[in-house]
Amino acid sequence: MPELQGFKKTSNYPVYTADNLWDFINGAADTYLSYGFEDLHVTEYIKGKSVIKLEIYRHKDEVQAFGIYSSERSPTFRFINIGAQAYKADGSLNFFKGKFYVKIRTYSKSEKVLQTLETLALKVSDMLHGDSDMPATLKEFPDIGKKKNEETYIKESVLGHGFLTGAFRALYEVGDTQFSIFLFKKQSESEALKLVSAYLKSSGLEVDDQSGGKYVFKDGYNGDIFLSWKDNTIVIISGLSRDQTDLAGRYSSEILK
């Protein structure tokens, strides 16, 4: 852990793993574990009555780290350029870089101490291995209408279905219409076909063409669903009605071009 000028560095915490993460974050542990959590290192920096706590969570890969990071951010936070992305809010500074999710916080109201969070974050970011880039898949979402800083990665139970796993989601607003686009990048065409087949089967449908296609159907939980797929890429759009097929088609085609 880096030094912080004027602060005493100390750690009275064990290295947390999947076996004891509950001891540190209790009810939130299951969510972290679902995003490929591997270990957590905790250090405190103390100066008088001021305490800064640094938590470095390591996950399986950058997608999992982005997933847990994005699940805890809000577009209303103040974003800054540290790591792949960082934000400050209410005495906290959180960021992710590569496979790491970093959380720094203090209860001090001192402006100097609050500014020190950023100094520490920069030191930690320089120390950590990995690229300071957002996941490459996010670049595949069309820009028109996309709501800024609301992209997420959902590891399990996408749209409430256990067989839908591993989707990036972006929220859109076009005129008075709001909808969500879910983008799945599977390891192979056969894996994509398996997911598509399971979803269509749940609505009483079958795959017409094993190499790709477009479908519109009713999901009992989510209303009208637009599903398109090609090779190992699947696009699911929810929040639009059947009379907005052209709108759904434009966005699906832009991604699958």
Side-chain angles (χ1 to χ4, degrees), residues 26-214:
N26 197 7
D30 285 338
T31 301
Y32 278 71
L33 291 172
S34 72
Y35 282 100
F37 168 83
E38 294 186 338
D39 57 47
L40 163 65
H41 294 257
V42 183
T43 298
E44 290 183 342
Y45 295 83
I46 302 172
K47 182 179 182 179
K49 295 182 179 179
S50 298
V51 179
I52 297 174
K53 181 176 284 187
L54 167 65
E55 304 166 13
I56 302 179
Y57 298 80
R58 179 165 54 182
H59 291 260
K60 182 179 179 181
D61 54 45
E62 66 164 14
V63 171
Q64 313 301 321
F66 169 76
I68 191 64
Y69 164 81
S70 64
S71 74
E72 297 188 343
R73 73 174 174 178
S74 167
T76 62
F77 293 155
R78 182 165 72 87
F79 291 87
I80 56 178
N81 186 27
I82 297 177
Q85 188 183 74
Y87 65 79
K88 297 180 74 173
D90 299 327
S92 297
L93 191 161
N94 296 351
F95 73 91
F96 90 97
K97 176 184 178 181
K99 63 173 66 175
F100 299 96
Y101 178 33
V102 179
K103 305 176 77 171
I104 306 173
R105 56 191 170 93
T106 182
Y107 293 108
S108 173
K109 301 300 182 181
S110 165
E111 187 61 34
K112 190 172 183 180
V113 174
L114 293 172
Q115 291 174 353
T116 303
L117 266 64
E118 194 164 336
T119 300
L120 179 57
L122 288 167
K123 286 177 175 286
V124 173
S125 181
D126 288 342
M127 174 191 77
L128 295 176
H129 297 292
D131 294 329
S132 296
D133 297 314
M134 300 289 271
T137 302
L138 293 179
K139 297 178 182 178
E140 299 186 28
F141 284 102
D143 289 330
I144 297 176
K146 181 160 64 72
K147 302 181 79 170
K148 190 174 182 180
N149 294 322
E150 295 200 45
E151 304 93 338
T152 56
Y153 177 76
I154 305 171
K155 182 70 178 294
E156 300 174 345
S157 297
V158 180
L159 288 167
H161 296 289
F163 50 80
L164 293 181
T165 59
F168 289 89
R169 181 186 68 181
L171 303 181
Y172 283 80
E173 186 170 3
V174 178
D176 295 329
T177 301
Q178 297 188 32
F179 57 97
S180 298
I181 298 180
F182 299 86
L183 177 55
F184 301 76
K185 304 289 286 188
K186 294 303 179 180
Q187 294 296 316
S188 64
E189 294 181 28
S190 61
E191 189 178 341
L193 174 61
K194 182 179 179 181
L195 185 151
V196 170
S197 298
Y199 198 6
L200 293 179
K201 185 178 180 180
S202 72
S203 296
L205 301 173
E206 295 183 357
V207 172
D208 296 326
D209 185 344
Q210 295 192 0
S211 63
K214 295 183 177 182

